[in-house]
Amino acid sequence: MPGVPDVQLSSLYQQLILEHYKKPRNRGALEDKTVEVHMRNPACGDEIKLQMKVEDDIIRDLRFLGDGCSISQASVSMMTSMLKDRPLDDAIALARRFTEMMHGDPEAAKDRSLKDLRALQGVSKFPIRVKCALLGFDALQQAVLQSRTATGDQESAPSEGS
Amino acid sequence: MSVTHTHAAAPPVPTLDVERIREDFPILAQEVNGHPLAYLDNAATSQKPTAVIDTLRHYYERDNANVHRGLHELSRRATDAYEAARATVAGWIGAPAPSELIFTRGTTEAINLVASSWGEANLAPGDEILLSELEHHSNLIPWQLVAKKTGAVLRYLSLDDDGRLILDDLPGILGGGRVRIVAIAHVSNSLGTINPVAEIARQAREAGALVAVDGAQGAAHHPVDVEKLGADFFAFSAHKMCGPTGIGALWVRGEILERMPPYQGGGEMIDLVGKHESTWAALPHKFEAGTPNIAGAIGMAAAVEYLRTIGPEAILRHEQDLVGYALDALGDSPGVRLFGPPEPSERAGVVSFRMAEAHPHDISTVLDREGIAIRAGHHCAQLVMQRFEVGATARASFYLYNTKEEVDRLVRGLDTVRSIFGGD
């Protein structure tokens, strides 16, 4: 009902999330990409195309195209804004930490290294929407894997966890 | 419905006593997230009346046994009830003989049965299977699979901007002389469009093609007579029409069914078994390998009996009243885009829409907090989403127990969505 605040809803739809949803960062095509992953959620139709330029295991640039709900699009927007000029290992660490928060880990939810992404912690109370929040990170992990496979650096490929 | 009949010729379709009907559905009398449940996801699955729940309970408490095997009293009762259910369910769609009705797990298995058994025996390279862009994946993927196996080719009827099939293309496609089967939804699950199946079937028949109807939505939301439709196959599910999940039926015109090879092998479907060759049971048992979903079939028949007391014409009219009401209200709601035919008479109780401000998932989450259950997504109809160039829609779907007050709550819920997502 309009006017009656719903605590769970307002914790889900934090201003920061809505702001990233309406004004997504790094949205668009990346011309000199070295890797591209197209990730879909077949259950609901959300999709994200993540493009990265990776050199010497460093993400030099990354952009995304996508169509989906506020949670999936805000999540990937926040994610891309944190990973420019960061090593692939940092990307994997971020994906793991974020996944822990989505699965309700209270320590992860306090971790300042997650920055804006912490605004998404309310999603963990909506189990059906958790996969929306993780879609961009699934794409990220796949992109990292592909980057390492392409350069023959398979030993440090992330294990399939969580 | 442009013809006006006198009362003597055709009694008027009665109006539903929805308040009384709601009492038949115990699940509706609950609160969700602190609000009365408004269940508007009936195209996904319907709720079950006490009559069906009691029938299942009675069967398991008194009559449960395997069918067509035992020589004892319980087996006789179970067999009688199972076969009586077949006759009841066959009667719901106007099937000429109960022996032409095969119980399946649902519409999906029924269509897979047609595609595998009829398709593999009858399709040759270059033969055409005519589908439409409107189809649910269950009437799409089985045909893609059989096309790959046989070398047959898939053709499609397109949709116009209002979500109607473009029938003008039909003579040209059929005129090629290669279409062996037309497989089409009776009612679209994503847009609600009621397709002109009888007209399509008439043209298909003239061109020598068979007609398979996906009746998952049709049998639940529209009176069905397979003879009047001109169908050769009609597939439907119990759970969309007040019955249990995991049970459905396939009707096949007798002379076609007699020539179809078995779909699955096992007990129940055999006559004489040898080490290298066996012979098959009489119809319809040849197509029901293994112990069937006995309770499900009996529950499906109970659902049919229940719906019969209310009347399929009255149910459809009630749904179309709600659709008309919802289309008007949503049409007045700022930033709402509606999909599907504008005339309620052209559709069953389904309303698909999008909002300018928010994605369908977000709409659904906000409405759920107000106790309103809708569906958001591609509705297993990705070709429809591609046609309208959207990734997803929000879908409210109505049934006999829904009310205008629930539609009002849906529309007010969109105000909540706007209050969260509106503005910059």
Side-chain angles (χ1 to χ4, degrees), chain B residues 16-24 400-403 405:
Chain B
L16 298 191
D17 183 353
V18 176
E19 283 316 305
R20 207 206 56 69
I21 286 171
R22 289 180 70 84
E23 291 171 8
D24 295 336
L400 67 166
Y401 36 68
N402 290 121
T403 65
E405 192 258 331

Side-chain angles (χ1 to χ4, degrees), chain B residues 42-46 92-93 107 186-187 214-224 234-243 300 303-304 307 311-317 319 348-349 398-400:
Chain B
N42 294 284
T45 196
S46 66
W92 180 247
I93 57 163
T107 306
H186 188 186
V187 173
D214 169 358
Q217 301 295 334
H221 301 280
H222 196 287
V224 173
F234 191 92
F236 59 119
S237 298
H239 75 97
K240 309 265 195 211
M241 43 183 275
C242 299
M300 185 175 189
V304 165
L307 292 174
E313 291 84 4
I315 294 169
L316 178 63
R317 201 183 76 166
E319 288 181 27
F398 312 122
Y399 211 8
L400 67 166

Side-chain angles (χ1 to χ4, degrees), chain A residues 135-147:
Chain A
L135 188 63
F137 285 92
D138 291 344
L140 177 67
Q141 296 192 66
Q142 193 66 41
V144 170
L145 194 64
Q146 282 184 23
S147 291

Side-chain angles (χ1 to χ4, degrees), chain B residues 105-422:
Chain B
R105 279 197 296 128
T107 306
T108 299
E109 189 184 49
I111 296 171
N112 275 279
L113 193 163
V114 178
S116 293
S117 171
W118 180 86
E120 288 179 31
N122 289 280
L123 292 169
D127 282 350
E128 293 176 354
I129 301 163
L130 178 58
L131 309 170
S132 88
E133 290 179 346
L134 202 63
E135 300 313 311
H136 188 285
H137 298 162
S138 63
N139 196 34
L140 199 59
I141 309 304
W143 300 110
Q144 287 183 355
L145 293 174
V146 75
K148 284 219 163 63
K149 277 186 189 162
T150 61
V153 178
L154 301 180
R155 304 282 308 265
Y156 287 91
L157 276 178
S158 306
L159 290 176
D160 70 15
D161 289 343
D162 286 330
R164 297 186 199 91
L165 299 180
I166 301 176
L167 283 201
D168 291 350
D169 296 342
L170 190 56
I173 296 171
L174 291 171
R178 297 307 305 263
V179 177
R180 299 292 314 279
I181 191 163
V182 180
I184 210 98
H186 188 186
V187 173
S188 158
N189 74 305
S190 57
L191 302 174
T193 316
I194 299 170
N195 290 322
V197 172
E199 172 57 22
I200 293 168
R202 190 188 62 74
Q203 294 191 34
R205 185 166 299 267
E206 276 178 15
L210 298 182
V211 177
V213 179
D214 169 358
Q217 301 295 334
H221 301 280
H222 196 287
V224 173
D225 185 318
V226 290
E227 296 279 31
K228 282 187 190 150
L229 278 181
D232 297 295
F233 306 88
F234 191 92
F236 59 119
S237 298
H239 75 97
K240 309 265 195 211
M241 43 183 275
C242 299
T245 52
I247 185 76
L250 171 69
W251 170 77
V252 185
R253 190 174 294 287
E255 63 261 32
I256 299 167
L257 188 60
E258 279 163 20
R259 292 197 300 270
M260 280 165 52
Y263 172 54
Q264 293 180 330
E268 234 359 74
M269 55 78 70
I270 43 79
D271 177 23
L272 196 64
V273 172
K275 276 187 177 163
H276 301 287
E277 290 288 336
S278 297
T279 55
W280 315 133
L283 295 176
H285 310 294
K286 173 179 162 184
F287 291 96
E288 292 182 356
T291 297
N293 183 349
I294 305 164
I298 294 166
M300 185 175 189
V304 165
E305 299 286 10
Y306 175 80
L307 292 174
R308 219 175 240 151
T309 64
I310 293 162
E313 291 84 4
I315 294 169
L316 178 63
R317 201 183 76 166
H318 176 70
E319 288 181 27
Q320 290 178 333
D321 278 353
L322 290 176
V323 164
Y325 188 75
L327 289 179
D328 286 346
L330 290 170
D332 290 341
S333 190
V336 170
R337 177 185 174 192
L338 293 163
F339 298 83
E343 282 301 316
S345 61
E346 293 179 88
R347 53 207 280 173
V350 174
V351 176
S352 250
F353 64 95
R354 282 175 68 91
M355 294 177 75
E357 298 88 347
H359 189 272
H361 300 171
D362 294 313
I363 299 171
S364 179
T365 292
V366 173
L367 292 176
D368 181 51
R369 297 296 306 166
E370 300 186 2
I372 304 163
I374 64 157
R375 173 89 184 265
H378 54 56
H379 318 296
C380 297
Q382 289 189 21
L383 296 188
V384 174
M385 300 298 116
Q386 288 162 23
R387 166 62 179 80
F388 292 103
E389 297 179 339
V390 295
T393 70
R395 179 189 71 184
S397 52
F398 312 122
Y399 211 8
L400 67 166
Y401 36 68
N402 290 121
T403 65
K404 288 185 178 168
E405 192 258 331
E406 289 175 320
V407 177
D408 290 338
R409 285 177 55 199
L410 167 72
V411 175
R412 281 202 305 272
L414 302 191
D415 292 337
T416 314
V417 176
R418 251 177 238 110
S419 74
I420 295 170
F421 288 89

